[in-house]
Amino acid sequence: MFIPAHELVVKAKASITEISLEQADSLVGDATVLLFDVREPGEYQEGHLPGALNIPRGMLEFVLSSNPALQDTDRQILVYCKTGGRAALAAQSLASMGFIQVSSLAGGYDAWHASARQTEQPAISFD
């Protein structure tokens, strides 16, 4: 039976912790919290939350599996995407990998940016 992506997102959101912009304010900039931007690199280049690591949704499990520095399952993680769908799926996947303190940003980057909160753009190098 085919399940549309929207239904998968709805189911994922029912099983994860989604936090508000106000709740996220205390996590962004906290060096003990990992921020994962699961958008594509081009989206990340246009702007991202301060200190966020860009790990595209399709590569998340593989990047974490190959990077021991990112495998502390007790570490708090905030994951976000453009509007929340990919982040919900990513948070669900992280939980299935054993991470216990995972939350997703409600409204994603679009909500963060629209609220005039601080964003960053990566430096472009022409080396």
Side-chain angles (χ1 to χ4, degrees):
M1 178 173 89
F2 176 77
I3 301 172
H6 176 74
E7 283 188 40
L8 293 174
V9 169
V10 169
K11 287 181 181 184
K13 285 188 175 191
S15 70
I16 64 162
T17 300
E18 196 170 46
I19 65 170
S20 68
L21 296 173
E22 293 75 21
Q23 291 170 303
D25 284 334
S26 66
L27 302 179
V28 175
D30 182 337
T32 66
V33 177
L34 289 174
L35 300 178
F36 292 162
D37 182 325
V38 296
R39 299 175 301 157
E40 293 300 311
E43 294 172 288
Y44 180 81
Q45 292 289 328
E46 292 175 7
H48 55 85
L49 274 64
L53 299 173
N54 183 219
I55 307 174
R57 169 67 195 103
M59 296 301 298
L60 183 65
E61 296 85 352
F62 301 103
V63 170
L64 294 177
S65 293
S66 66
N67 191 332
L70 300 176
Q71 295 174 6
D72 179 356
T73 56
D74 292 325
R75 192 158 180 195
Q76 190 167 10
I77 298 172
L78 173 61
V79 62
Y80 72 92
C81 64
K82 180 174 174 50
T83 60
R86 287 175 284 179
L89 295 171
Q92 185 180 51
S93 185
L94 289 166
S96 71
M97 292 178 79
F99 292 92
I100 58 174
Q101 293 190 76
V102 179
S103 55
S104 173
L105 179 61
Y109 180 80
D110 282 358
W112 184 270
H113 188 260
S115 70
R117 284 174 164 79
Q118 181 182 359
T119 61
E120 294 180 346
Q121 288 184 300
I124 298 175
S125 174
F126 297 101
D127 294 337

